[in-house]
Amino acid sequence: MTPLNLYIHIPFCFAKCPYCAFFSCTNCDDTYEEYFKTLNKEILTKSNLYKNREIQTIYIGGGTPNLVPHKYIVECIENIKKNFQLSKDIEITIEQYPQYITKESLETYKTVGINRISMGLQATGNEELQQLCRRYTYEEFIEKYQLVKKIGFNDIGIDLIFGYPNHTLDQWKQSLKLITQLGIQHISCYSLEVEEGTPYGKLNEQGKLHLPTEIVDREMYHYACEYLNEKGFKQYEISNFAKEGYECKHNLNFWHYQNYVGLGAGAYSRVNNTKSHNPEDIQKYINGEWDIEKEKIKKEDEKIERIMLGLRLNEGIKYNEKLFQKEYMTVVEDRMILNTKGKDMYNKVMQEMV
Ligand SMILES: C[S@@+](CC[C@H](N)C(=O)[O-])C[C@H]1O[C@@H](n2cnc3c(N)ncnc32)[C@H](O)[C@@H]1O
Ligand code: SF4
């Protein structure tokens, strides 16, 4: 059966973090009921379109999926189980903001089949967490993490950000040291993107954002790649590292150009050679405006996208003399792979290629 992956967007946050441009709404509790009613309608409608597909992965992201009462998440998963065909070794991930983790919600997630937890930690120093306006201390994170383990989750990932204002290499080294001692399976390390329209974006425009230099940012990245590898976290993508066998299947399937269907406001889909997305507007979504800007993907564009996604992975893509750039790539057997410089300059390499 043809594989398919589902992404569910939960667009609610308690407060916006100053760096984040993901679509989410604050103080929107009064829309939960209507939002999830619509989401369940969308699940039902789309399940009818993809009857002959087997769902490989479900990724529940946000926003903050654990800000909403867990009954809503359970309803969605039960609805998907009833209406789609699920692979027997399906991966179901949910993103968790540490502060809102509870024993009760974790137990419920486990019962319904969620088997992977992604925790947005970002940093381990309490001053750094404050700088990023995160609403917990590292000690509080540890309590929540221990709860996640105690409930029986054994596929746990942590997100970290580096290169934010006033961040130092020593602080970064300390964060990596602490989290590799926890017994987790997956680490994502994201270099801070200064996004237009966010508080960080605005400060940056005024020249008031004190970011580490590009050289320090790259030093942080190279340190993470080497250190995590030493600690048994194999890099499998530009920003992702995992213990053997614990790579995130959902993201791997995306980079391998498998089809995915996005559910919820702001979610993107790429399926049957067609791209579309739901509006980043909860009211429009509730009113049934789904799959807007539907566009057939041209063969040439598909080829380019496959190359761009494939080169993010450490396994690279099949060797192609015309695309090979000596400065940025190496060849391993019949594959071409980005070297360190290529990973640092991913965007430039892609520009030169297309
Ligand atoms: C969709 S976000 C949400 C996860 C969850 N709401 C949280 O904050 O813990 C997923 C990850 O993207 C990363 N991220 C968000 N904005 C970023 C930015 N501007 N630059 C780099 N990484 C970012 C963070 O590491 C975050 O954990
Ligand atoms: S980083 Fe997470 S919690 Fe913060 S605004 Fe973005 S989605 Fe919400």
Side-chain angles (χ1 to χ4, degrees):
M1 227 188 289
T2 322
L4 186 65
N5 302 278
L6 302 181
Y7 172 78
I8 304 177
H9 195 66
I10 312 295
F12 304 108
C13 288
F14 182 81
K16 282 305 279 185
C17 302
Y19 49 86
C20 179
F22 285 95
F23 168 59
S24 69
C25 177
T26 55
N27 291 315
C28 292
D29 329 14
D30 55 346
T31 57
Y32 290 174
E33 200 57 40
E34 277 301 306
Y35 184 78
F36 284 95
K37 220 197 257 174
T38 313
L39 187 54
N40 280 307
K41 223 194 282 173
E42 193 189 11
I43 290 171
L44 193 62
T45 309
K46 295 209 171 156
S47 68
N48 285 320
L49 301 176
Y50 307 112
K51 281 280 174 233
N52 55 347
R53 305 278 184 144
E54 187 183 68
I55 307 303
Q56 309 298 311
T57 66
I58 302 172
Y59 195 101
I60 308 162
T64 308
N66 60 327
L67 186 67
V68 303
H70 52 80
K71 66 168 185 181
Y72 291 123
I73 305 293
V74 171
E75 272 169 22
C76 290
I77 304 270
E78 293 295 6
N79 193 7
I80 289 173
K81 282 186 182 167
K82 208 164 82 192
N83 293 292
F84 282 93
Q85 304 208 45
L86 268 52
S87 154
K88 64 179 185 325
D89 56 357
I90 187 162
E91 173 193 272
I92 311 182
T93 305
I94 188 162
E95 284 179 351
Q96 297 284 282
Y97 189 100
Q99 188 191 6
Y100 311 118
I101 290 177
T102 65
K103 182 168 172 281
E104 210 192 356
S105 59
L106 289 172
E107 282 169 348
T108 317
Y109 296 155
K110 187 137 185 65
T111 314
V112 81
I114 291 175
N115 51 19
R116 187 170 182 277
I117 299 286
S118 172
M119 299 177 79
L121 170 62
Q122 320 310 349
T124 61
N126 289 336
E127 270 179 31
E128 297 159 64
L129 288 168
Q130 257 180 20
Q131 159 78 54
L132 293 167
C133 302
R134 303 294 286 182
R135 311 172 66 82
Y136 48 86
T137 61
Y138 185 60
E139 293 70 30
E140 283 162 347
F141 160 80
I142 290 291
E143 270 175 39
K144 302 296 179 151
Y145 167 70
Q146 277 160 355
L147 204 53
V148 174
K149 281 212 3 182
K150 198 167 150 206
I151 303 296
F153 288 97
N154 53 17
D155 192 350
I156 306 169
I158 284 179
D159 290 350
L160 292 179
I161 300 183
F162 63 92
Y164 44 80
N166 307 315
H167 195 202
T168 67
L169 185 57
D170 282 345
Q171 289 171 332
W172 178 233
K173 287 183 177 174
Q174 177 68 359
S175 284
L176 292 170
K177 184 173 161 201
L178 290 179
I179 65 156
T180 48
Q181 291 167 351
L182 292 176
I184 52 169
Q185 287 71 35
H186 190 282
I187 301 171
S188 303
C189 295
Y190 299 114
S191 171
L192 178 84
E193 291 271 351
V194 178
E195 304 276 7
E196 234 176 85
T198 61
Y200 274 12
K202 286 175 191 153
L203 282 175
N204 199 38
E205 276 169 25
Q206 297 160 10
K208 291 184 187 158
L209 199 69
H210 305 293
L211 295 173
T213 62
E214 181 64 23
I215 293 173
V216 173
D217 179 272
R218 288 302 85 194
E219 221 177 314
M220 288 176 169
Y221 178 63
H222 298 157
Y223 180 82
C225 295
E226 270 174 45
Y227 183 77
L228 293 177
N229 193 41
E230 263 170 41
K231 297 289 171 192
F233 291 89
K234 207 173 143 232
Q235 183 172 24
Y236 68 100
E237 192 266 348
I238 291 182
S239 307
N240 286 284
F241 305 80
K243 293 265 164 144
E244 188 83 39
Y246 287 95
E247 297 82 6
C248 172
K249 279 192 212 160
H250 182 83
N251 289 340
L252 264 183
N253 290 350
F254 171 74
W255 291 313
H256 284 149
Y257 208 78
Q258 269 192 16
N259 287 321
Y260 59 91
V261 168
L263 303 155
Y268 281 72
S269 302
R270 187 189 65 217
V271 62
N272 294 342
N273 298 319
T274 304
K275 272 183 178 179
S276 63
H277 67 97
N278 289 342
E280 287 194 348
D281 181 317
I282 293 178
Q283 213 45 55
K284 283 186 180 167
Y285 174 71
I286 288 174
N287 292 342
E289 269 188 57
W290 307 336
D291 289 321
I292 55 171
E293 292 171 28
K294 226 176 185 160
E295 190 191 329
K296 202 90 189 144
I297 303 167
K298 294 190 201 96
K299 268 271 157 260
E300 190 50 32
D301 292 343
E302 173 180 337
K303 220 167 109 188
I304 292 168
E305 205 180 339
R306 278 181 185 273
I307 294 166
M308 289 174 71
L309 293 174
L311 276 174
R312 295 192 65 89
L313 295 167
N314 269 38
E315 67 190 40
I317 57 172
K318 215 169 163 13
Y319 178 76
N320 178 329
E321 200 183 344
K322 278 197 220 132
L323 297 175
F324 185 68
Q325 297 178 50
K326 201 168 158 212
E327 198 182 347
Y328 301 121
M329 295 174 193
T330 53
V331 180
V332 179
E333 291 165 9
D334 63 339
R335 319 273 307 166
M336 52 190 222
I337 293 163
L338 291 183
N339 59 21
T340 307
K341 193 167 174 191
K343 285 190 180 120
D344 285 345
M345 321 250 309
Y346 174 78
N347 290 337
K348 184 165 183 278
V349 180
M350 292 307 121
Q351 272 167 14
E352 279 177 26
M353 213 169 236
V354 297

